[in-house]
Amino acid sequence: MSIKDIVTVPDEILKKISNPIEKIGMNEKKLIKDLFDTMYHSKGIGLAAVQVGILKRIIVLDVSTKDEPKKPMSFINPIIKNFSSETSVYEEGCLSIPDTFIEIERPSTCEVEYIDLDGKHKNLKCEGILSTCLQHEINHLDGKLIIDNLSKLKRDFIIKKISKNKKNPDRIIV
Ligand code: NI
């Protein structure tokens, strides 16, 4: 079990573009295990390697609900191939932006191409929280954060307002 420190804003590394993985070796497998340990420990449902300070295109997710068994999923070099024109809105949080929740509109469904732990190329059609969470995490690999599209004024205002921690069943932390 290895829990890593999570990098938070305004650390500049969060704005950098992560590098593709060319070979899945021991380091990558250990990193994925550490990402899961860190994500579960922090009670997030998704984590990108850059959030522990490593610029590799690796993300982990677990969007299972409390009543379901754990469902760890890892994605190496994920690329979104298709987006739906239909959109949905979730109130998103981010382990790198503590106590901040912002409503984000994204395509409701998407199709992602990625490499699994065994180096196999896979395709996955995603909807609901899985779709939103994957898009959020892939944004991390490209140095994008949920606060990026806000003006500074709005960003400060929304962070203040939303961090009051109101309850919302659709709130997710990725
Ligand atoms: Ni995040």
Side-chain angles (χ1 to χ4, degrees), residues 51 94-95 136-137 140 174:
Q51 293 181 276
C94 181
L95 291 170
H136 175 119
E137 296 309 333
H140 274 300
V174 283

Side-chain angles (χ1 to χ4, degrees), residues 125-165:
K125 284 184 178 160
C126 310
E127 56 178 29
I129 285 180
L130 176 60
S131 172
T132 290
C133 188
L134 256 171
Q135 292 174 55
H136 175 119
E137 296 309 333
I138 290 172
N139 280 170
H140 274 300
L141 302 183
D142 294 322
K144 292 181 194 152
L145 298 170
I146 52 174
I147 53 174
D148 284 356
N149 292 331
L150 309 176
S151 66
K152 189 178 184 312
L153 193 69
K154 200 171 177 188
R155 186 160 58 218
D156 292 348
F157 175 76
I158 287 180
I159 287 171
K160 239 185 242 168
K161 188 179 162 202
I162 293 178
S163 62
K164 284 182 185 160
N165 252 341

Side-chain angles (χ1 to χ4, degrees), residues 89-116:
V89 177
Y90 281 94
E91 195 180 28
E92 296 183 25
C94 181
L95 291 170
S96 294
I97 313 168
D99 303 323
T100 302
F101 292 89
I102 301 172
E103 283 191 352
I104 306 275
E105 183 175 16
R106 299 182 188 272
S108 303
T109 67
C110 66
E111 197 173 339
V112 64
E113 227 177 71
Y114 66 100
I115 299 170
D116 72 6

Side-chain angles (χ1 to χ4, degrees), residues 6-152:
I6 292 180
V7 176
T8 53
V9 287
D11 195 309
E12 290 292 312
I13 198 170
L14 293 167
K15 294 182 182 169
K16 297 202 165 141
I17 294 179
S18 295
N19 304 305
I21 303 297
E22 283 169 17
K23 187 174 172 289
I24 303 159
M26 291 299 290
N27 286 345
E28 285 70 29
K29 288 184 181 178
K30 167 84 167 63
L31 172 59
I32 287 173
K33 204 184 159 303
D34 292 349
L35 287 172
F36 277 122
D37 289 344
T38 306
M39 180 186 78
Y40 286 126
H41 175 78
S42 313
K43 310 232 183 302
I45 61 171
L47 192 65
V50 61
Q51 293 181 276
V52 299
I54 297 171
L55 288 168
K56 291 184 175 179
R57 298 189 83 82
I58 295 178
I59 64 184
V60 299
L61 302 177
D62 187 338
V63 295
S64 60
T65 61
K66 268 190 226 152
D67 314 325
E68 292 169 343
K70 278 185 180 172
K71 198 184 172 199
M73 305 170 86
S74 54
F75 301 82
I76 298 165
N77 298 346
I79 296 171
I80 293 185
K81 285 294 174 186
N82 291 300
F83 292 106
S84 61
S85 48
E86 190 191 320
T87 60
S88 49
V89 177
Y90 281 94
E91 195 180 28
E92 296 183 25
C94 181
L95 291 170
S96 294
I97 313 168
D99 303 323
T100 302
F101 292 89
I102 301 172
E103 283 191 352
I104 306 275
E105 183 175 16
R106 299 182 188 272
S108 303
T109 67
C110 66
E111 197 173 339
V112 64
E113 227 177 71
Y114 66 100
I115 299 170
D116 72 6
L117 262 181
D118 301 318
K120 288 188 182 132
H121 288 261
K122 294 265 175 86
N123 243 297
L124 184 68
K125 284 184 178 160
C126 310
E127 56 178 29
I129 285 180
L130 176 60
S131 172
T132 290
C133 188
L134 256 171
Q135 292 174 55
H136 175 119
E137 296 309 333
I138 290 172
N139 280 170
H140 274 300
L141 302 183
D142 294 322
K144 292 181 194 152
L145 298 170
I146 52 174
I147 53 174
D148 284 356
N149 292 331
L150 309 176
S151 66
K152 189 178 184 312

